[in-house]
């Protein structure tokens, strides 16, 4: 690699929701300038998948770090959260610390060049590796500032363990106001500081964050200032909101490869009137319970709206197994939907960015994963929030209470859901009611704000990325004194 170029080593956690924004950022950096050698490091199977997602002329280099899932008590070939049930995700996370030595070796081998590391927020330990070797390091958060602030504060303080009531506040993030215990992901609700999740987050992850040089966020300053300022306050480090970083149409197949041909999907949407379709999708790794699925199916049947619904086997079944519509959906639902053409049931994976950008789509029922949030709001599509895990509950709260572009329809993978309630909320957002009109208008305002952040050289996200690259170049050009 040419010496005058800066090497940027990017290291996402092994989950589609993390790899997608890293790949999007890698392609954006590649487009901005040919002064960078962009390297994405990951485990062999993720690298294979990434290779097929790279555009043909991309010069992004992919580097495999050795990893054997069976060494860590995981099933063979388990290298991504999309192939394991949620209960095994912690094992995969713990196993990821075995990448420390290969990662350190990689960084050492590249140290004679200008070098910068952009690592995942689950890989806190990379900041200490970087500090030891005297290499510039930043985290890139695929989560928004507000959601991650709540998530970080909860793990580090476990405030819900110290109160008797169901409502509580965050000691270092009062801006979030009251949280309710039902808004906690299962692993935080159960955490006591000694469980495997707490130990990983506190010891292998968060305790290393002080060693980083700053934080990149797939977010927008004008939208997310409160959450972003939390990280400036806690870490006294620069925060660069550079979003939205999106994988646009034409990047070939992503994720699991696609359960529907994007052309067919587009043709189906082309036949629908503007603003008439509800899109239902719960991210790259989540699904709902069998009873929730039945209620949602009934709601979609009764509400009379057109819809695209990405389905996966319900909780308790192998998420990658074949979908049994006759068992998990209301009787005759799939046939009726097909005959009437009112709905499109997509198995496992749909071209989400393309669907959300279609003018026929009016609302998005989503688990509020942050990629989904930015993809939706970038197109001015309001959200029916059904948070399920991680920081999704706080994203949903933020979007509903602070931004006004979301209505929460359900909470978690175990809650009781009634089809009548779902229909009511779908109507609320999609109807010509005052609330629906207001929410859609607000979503369009946020879309314009987001687009403004990426526009020309004065957009806040454009400037933030320039500032980050300048900081990385300045620090990584200095002669290294520490590290061996
Ligand atoms: O059928 C599908 C399903 C998903 N996607 C894409 O997959 C990504 C999903 O990301 P996200 O919406 O953020 O959901 P998760 O996969 O659940 O994301 C994880 O990572 C996010 C960012 O770090 C966190 O906000 C979430 O809580 C965490 O679960 C998005 O780019 C979607 O466009 C598709 O293209 N088609």
């Amino acid at each position: 690699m040419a010496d005058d170029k800066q090497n940027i080593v990017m290291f996402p956690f092994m989950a589609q929701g993390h790899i997608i924004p890293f790949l999007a950022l890698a392609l954006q950096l590649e487009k901005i300038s040919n002064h960078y050698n962009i390297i994405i490091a990951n485990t062999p199977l993720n690298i294979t998948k990434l290779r097929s997602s790279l555009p043909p002329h991309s010069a992004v280099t992919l580097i495999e770090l050795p990893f054997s899932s069976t060494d860590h008590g995981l099933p063979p070939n388990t290298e991504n959260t999309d192939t394991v049930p949620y209960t095994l995700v912690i094992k995969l996370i713990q196993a990821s610390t075995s990448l420390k030595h290969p990662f350190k070796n990689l960084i050492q081998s590249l140290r004679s060049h200008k070098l910068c590391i952009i690592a995942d927020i689950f890989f806190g330990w990379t900041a200490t590796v970087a500090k030891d070797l005297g290499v510039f390091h930043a985290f890139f958060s695929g989560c928004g500032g507000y959601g991650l602030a709540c998530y970080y504060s909860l793990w580090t303080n476990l405030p819900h363990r110290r109160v008797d009531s169901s409502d509580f506040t965050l000691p270092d993030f009062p801006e979030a106001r009251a949280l309710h215990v039902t808004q906690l992901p299962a692993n935080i609700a159960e955490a006591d500081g000694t469980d495997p999740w707490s130990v990983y987050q506190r010891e292998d992850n968060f305790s290393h964050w002080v060693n980083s040089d700053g934080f990149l966020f797939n977010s927008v300053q004008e939208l997310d200032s409160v959450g972003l300022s939390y990280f400036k306050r806690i870490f006294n480090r620069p925060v660069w909101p550079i979003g939205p970083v999106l994988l646009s149409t034409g990047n070939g197949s992503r994720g699991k490869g696609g359960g529907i041909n994007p052309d067919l999907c587009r043709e189906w949407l082309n036949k629908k009137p503007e603003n008439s379709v509800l899109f239902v999708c719960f991210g790259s790794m989540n699904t709902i319970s069998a009873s929730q699925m039945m209620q949602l199916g009934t709601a979609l049947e009764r509400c009379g709206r057109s819809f695209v619904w990405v389905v996966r086997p319900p909780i308790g079944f192998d998420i990658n197994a074949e979908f049994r519509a006759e068992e998990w959906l209301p009787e005759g639902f799939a046939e009726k939907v097909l005959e009437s053409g009112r709905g499109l049931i997509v198995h496992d994976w749909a071209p989400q960015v393309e669907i959300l950008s279609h003018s026929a789509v009016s609302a998005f029922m989503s688990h509020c994963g942050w990629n989904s949030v930015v993809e939706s709001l970038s197109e001015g599509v309001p959200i029916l929030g059904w948070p399920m895990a991680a920081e999704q509950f706080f994203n949903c709260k933020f979007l509903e209470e602070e931004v006004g572009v979301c209505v929460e329809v359900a909470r978690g993978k175990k809650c009781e859901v009634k089809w009548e309630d779902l229909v009511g909320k779908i109507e609320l957002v999609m109807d010509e009611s005052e609330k629906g009109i207001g929410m859609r208008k607000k979503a369009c305002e946020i879309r314009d704000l987001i687009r403004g952040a990426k526009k020309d050289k004065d957009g806040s996200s454009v400037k933030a990325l320039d500032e980050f690259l300048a900081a990385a170049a300045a620090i990584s050009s200095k002669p290294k004194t520490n590290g061996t």
Side-chain angles (χ1 to χ4, degrees):
M1 289 172 188
D3 265 1
D4 57 332
K5 287 196 174 191
Q6 179 170 15
N7 288 325
I8 300 183
V9 177
M10 304 184 71
F11 190 24
F13 174 63
M14 303 99 89
Q16 288 313 120
H18 292 235
I19 290 175
I20 288 170
F22 269 77
L23 177 57
L25 178 57
L27 297 178
Q28 189 180 326
L29 289 170
E30 183 176 41
K31 216 162 133 195
I32 291 175
S33 160
N34 59 5
H35 283 106
Y36 307 114
N37 289 315
I38 318 276
I39 297 161
I40 303 182
N42 222 279
T43 63
L45 289 178
N46 286 306
I47 290 296
T48 305
K49 221 187 256 183
L50 272 163
R51 191 160 285 124
S52 64
S53 306
L54 279 182
H57 302 297
S58 170
V60 170
T61 305
L62 301 173
I63 292 188
E64 286 184 9
L65 302 178
F67 182 78
S68 168
S69 57
T70 49
D71 291 352
H72 308 280
L74 286 160
N77 300 325
T78 302
E79 297 187 17
N80 192 298
T81 55
D82 67 7
T83 55
V84 287
Y86 199 73
T87 46
L88 282 186
V89 169
I90 180 61
K91 270 203 164 192
L92 183 63
I93 291 179
Q94 287 169 324
S96 68
T97 53
S98 70
L99 298 169
K100 198 183 269 184
H101 288 294
F103 180 74
K104 194 168 181 176
N105 291 341
L106 171 67
I107 299 303
Q108 265 168 327
S109 73
L110 294 168
R111 268 178 76 216
S112 53
H113 304 274
K114 288 184 254 172
L115 183 57
C116 151
I117 297 169
I118 301 179
D120 198 280
I121 52 165
F122 273 10
F123 290 157
W125 50 264
T126 57
T128 304
V129 170
K131 192 174 183 202
D132 289 348
L133 297 175
V135 173
F136 181 87
H137 177 285
F139 287 112
F140 176 40
S141 171
C143 304
Y146 185 100
L148 190 64
C150 295
Y151 189 75
Y152 177 90
S153 177
L154 279 162
W155 276 119
T156 45
N157 298 301
L158 297 179
H160 54 296
R161 307 292 300 195
R162 302 205 195 104
V163 291
D164 293 329
S165 82
S166 315
D167 293 296
F168 58 93
T169 52
L170 301 172
D172 56 359
F173 192 45
E175 294 94 325
R177 290 179 274 147
L179 286 168
H180 192 265
V181 284
T182 53
Q183 287 176 303
L184 294 176
N187 54 1
I188 296 184
E190 288 155 16
D192 63 6
T194 63
D195 57 288
W197 270 101
S198 297
V199 171
Y200 182 84
Q201 293 290 33
R202 289 164 161 217
E203 291 171 22
D204 292 310
N205 191 18
F206 295 139
S207 60
H208 298 267
W209 284 21
V210 289
N211 293 329
S212 185
D213 295 295
F215 298 86
L216 290 157
F217 275 87
N218 188 12
S219 196
V220 173
Q221 178 64 36
E222 293 83 348
L223 171 69
D224 199 10
S225 58
V226 171
L228 295 166
S229 58
Y230 172 84
F231 292 94
K232 286 185 202 147
R233 188 164 81 218
I234 297 286
F235 292 100
N236 195 21
R237 294 281 185 288
V239 167
W240 301 284
I242 56 163
V245 181
L246 305 171
L247 266 195
S248 59
T249 330
N251 280 326
S253 78
R254 313 185 295 154
K256 296 178 179 180
I260 186 171
N261 178 328
D263 292 337
L264 287 181
C265 197
R266 193 177 320 114
E267 278 165 32
W268 188 89
L269 287 167
N270 284 346
K271 291 190 197 123
K272 299 290 171 189
E274 271 199 10
N275 292 321
S276 65
V277 176
L278 171 68
F279 177 48
V280 183
C281 181
F282 301 125
S284 66
M285 56 192 272
N286 274 295
T287 185
I288 51 182
S289 74
S291 64
Q292 291 175 333
M293 196 171 283
M294 200 55 88
Q295 293 296 317
L296 177 54
T298 309
L300 292 174
E301 193 166 32
R302 301 290 178 101
C303 78
R305 306 272 173 181
S306 294
F307 63 87
V308 179
W309 182 11
V310 182
V311 292
R312 301 195 182 114
I315 293 166
F317 297 87
D318 175 3
I319 199 166
N320 296 307
E322 204 156 311
F323 190 81
R324 304 202 290 267
E326 66 294 345
E327 192 177 322
W328 295 323
L329 298 181
E331 206 184 332
F333 177 80
E335 294 79 11
K336 270 188 256 167
V337 160
L338 191 68
E339 263 167 41
S340 65
R342 189 160 68 78
L344 192 59
I345 300 176
V346 179
H347 290 190
D348 192 46
W349 195 267
Q352 178 166 305
V353 171
E354 291 78 359
I355 291 173
L356 286 168
S357 67
H358 199 286
S359 60
V361 173
S362 161
F364 181 18
M365 188 180 290
S366 166
H367 71 318
C368 298
W370 192 250
N371 295 295
S372 292
V373 170
V374 290
E375 288 163 6
S376 197
L377 294 182
S378 295
E379 297 296 339
V381 176
I383 294 171
L384 289 141
W386 186 333
M388 296 181 183
E391 89 309 353
Q392 295 149 20
F393 300 85
F394 325 124
N395 296 341
C396 184
K397 175 181 159 73
F398 171 63
L399 296 173
E400 182 162 14
E401 292 175 11
E402 310 293 333
V403 192
V405 292
C406 174
V407 167
E408 190 183 60
V409 296
R411 213 174 255 184
K413 296 182 248 188
K414 287 190 183 145
C415 71
E416 192 191 348
V417 173
K418 293 207 178 90
W419 67 263
E420 297 91 331
D421 291 343
L422 292 177
V423 170
K425 286 183 176 155
I426 293 170
E427 298 294 341
L428 186 72
V429 177
M430 294 182 77
D431 250 10
E432 290 312 304
S433 64
E434 202 183 319
K435 175 114 183 171
I437 293 170
M439 200 177 295
R440 295 198 298 274
K441 187 163 165 266
K442 186 75 202 177
C444 288
E445 284 168 24
I446 300 294
R447 173 198 62 200
D448 296 343
L449 177 152
I450 288 175
R451 289 184 181 172
K454 292 286 275 199
K455 215 168 154 205
D456 307 327
K457 55 182 187 353
D458 290 329
S460 61
S461 294
V462 178
K463 278 200 206 154
L465 187 57
D466 285 348
E467 281 163 21
F468 162 72
L469 290 169
I475 294 181
S476 63
S477 299
K478 285 188 191 150
K480 307 289 177 303
T481 47
N482 49 342
T484 47

